[in-house]
């Protein structure tokens, strides 16, 4: 079974704090993603990485950065947390199968509240 | 860039009836279309997918159809049960195959 594990299930941080969200996958997947999920807005891509030390901006990268120093770990960093970053954050990893299927495996999510 | 639209945003059906969720995509190069189910408080999980060389795929009570010409695909759930209540997401493969472009989600409510 593929396991994608996020370091925290719930997090409460103060405005202006630097916040680290960690994600680890155990299936040697090349691709990893960070999404935020808000009611009515679905899954919005923040950043993704297709290799170690490689990163690409998604649709809403402002206010976030990422780090991928090791293949299994993808970190999301909120440089200076703001209340509009209160959300559910989902990490995912994926592989492309020989049949061309791109299955994404998600972590359990981190509900971040910025006060 | 690629865009995926999903309708409706909320769908309420009587237990035992069928439910249909529709998605349209913009990039004709997309060739892979998965559907994910997210139960309350849980992570999204793949339930069925289809590739562009196939028009329909079935797995017990769920089926997905694809119309490449019209660039739309649909999820069909027959004989709905309470455990089908969840948020369903469609997605389409992006310009780079490792990326999926997601629909906004449909909240399916099964009424007893």
């Amino acid at each position: 079974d593929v396991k994608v594990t996020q370091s925290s299930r719930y997090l409460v941080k103060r405005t202006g704090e630097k916040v680290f969200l960690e994600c680890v996958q155990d299936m040697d997947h090349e691709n990893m993603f960070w999404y935020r999920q808000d009611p009515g807005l679905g899954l919005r891509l923040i950043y993704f990485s297709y290799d170690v030390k490689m990163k690409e901006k998604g649709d809403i990268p402002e206010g976030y950065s990422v780090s991928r120093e090791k293949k299994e770990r993808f970190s999301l960093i909120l440089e200076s947390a703001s209340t509009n970053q209160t959300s559910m954050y989902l990490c995912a990893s994926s592989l492309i199968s020989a049949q061309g299927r791109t299955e994404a495996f998600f972590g359990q999510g981190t509900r971040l509240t910025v006060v | 860039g690629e865009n995926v639209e999903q309708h409706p945003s909320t769908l309420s059906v009587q237990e035992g009836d069928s439910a249909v969720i529709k998605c349209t995509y913009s990039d004709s190069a997309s060739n892979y279309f998965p559907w994910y189910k997210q139960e309350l408080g849980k992570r999204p999980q793949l339930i069925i997918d289809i590739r562009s060389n196939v028009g329909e795929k079935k797995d017990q009570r769920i089926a997905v159809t694809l119309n490449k010409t019209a660039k739309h695909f649909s999820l069909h759930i027959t004989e709905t049960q309470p455990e089908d209540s969840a948020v369903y997401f469609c997605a389409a493969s992006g310009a780079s195959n490792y990326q999926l472009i997601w629909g906004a989600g449909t909240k399916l409510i099964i009424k007893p």
Side-chain angles (χ1 to χ4, degrees):
Chain A
D1 248 6
V2 176
K3 276 224 172 98
V4 180
T5 305
Q6 293 181 228
S7 52
S8 304
R9 194 72 195 264
Y10 300 95
L11 217 48
V12 179
K13 295 291 181 181
R14 294 193 181 279
T15 301
E17 273 194 81
K18 190 167 186 176
V19 182
F20 293 86
L21 303 183
E22 306 285 347
C23 176
V24 177
Q25 51 98 0
D26 66 357
M27 279 299 289
D28 204 37
H29 288 173
E30 301 289 341
N31 311 312
M32 296 188 74
F33 307 83
W34 274 105
Y35 296 93
R36 66 176 280 177
Q37 183 176 21
D38 300 289
L41 297 177
L43 298 169
R44 292 187 291 166
L45 181 64
I46 305 171
Y47 268 96
F48 65 99
S49 168
Y50 52 88
D51 202 352
V52 176
K53 297 195 186 292
M54 304 301 289
K55 59 186 179 185
E56 293 280 345
K57 291 181 180 178
D59 300 318
I60 51 164
E62 296 77 21
Y64 303 94
S65 62
V66 290
S67 172
R68 186 128 181 241
E69 295 297 317
K70 292 184 178 181
K71 193 174 187 179
E72 66 270 20
R73 186 180 296 269
F74 192 35
S75 304
L76 179 70
I77 303 150
L78 286 66
E79 298 291 343
S80 176
S82 64
T83 53
N84 63 12
Q85 291 178 309
T86 291
S87 186
M88 170 68 83
Y89 290 86
L90 284 168
C91 172
S93 70
S94 75
L95 61 92
I96 303 174
S97 72
Q99 296 76 31
R101 298 172 66 228
T102 306
E103 183 170 358
F105 297 87
F106 286 87
Q108 76 277 26
T110 296
R111 184 163 293 283
L112 173 67
T113 303
V114 182
V115 298
Chain B
E2 167 80 287
N3 183 48
V4 176
E5 292 191 2
Q6 182 171 349
H7 299 281
S9 55
T10 306
L11 178 60
S12 185
V13 302
Q14 206 68 41
E15 183 178 347
D17 287 352
S18 295
V20 181
I21 302 170
K22 298 181 179 181
C23 288
T24 59
Y25 61 99
S26 59
D27 188 351
S28 54
S30 292
N31 58 13
Y32 173 68
F33 308 92
W35 286 88
Y36 284 72
K37 176 183 180 182
Q38 186 180 28
E39 296 177 36
L40 189 63
K42 296 191 176 178
R43 67 193 78 191
Q45 290 193 296
L46 178 70
I47 54 170
I48 195 168
D49 56 14
I50 193 168
R51 295 208 63 211
S52 58
N53 57 350
V54 175
E56 183 175 359
K57 185 176 177 181
K58 267 187 167 180
D59 183 3
Q60 298 182 346
R61 294 188 298 108
I62 60 172
V64 56
T65 58
L66 171 65
N67 182 328
K68 278 176 60 179
T69 306
K71 290 192 279 189
H72 67 69
F73 56 111
S74 301
L75 178 72
H76 305 252
I77 307 174
T78 58
E79 300 171 17
T80 53
Q81 298 169 6
E83 55 264 35
D84 295 329
S85 293
V87 176
Y88 292 81
F89 292 97
C90 65
S93 56
S96 47
N97 267 347
Y98 47 73
Q99 196 179 349
L100 292 172
I101 312 300
W102 297 88
T106 296
K107 184 175 183 179
L108 177 62
I109 301 164
I110 308 300
K111 296 181 290 186

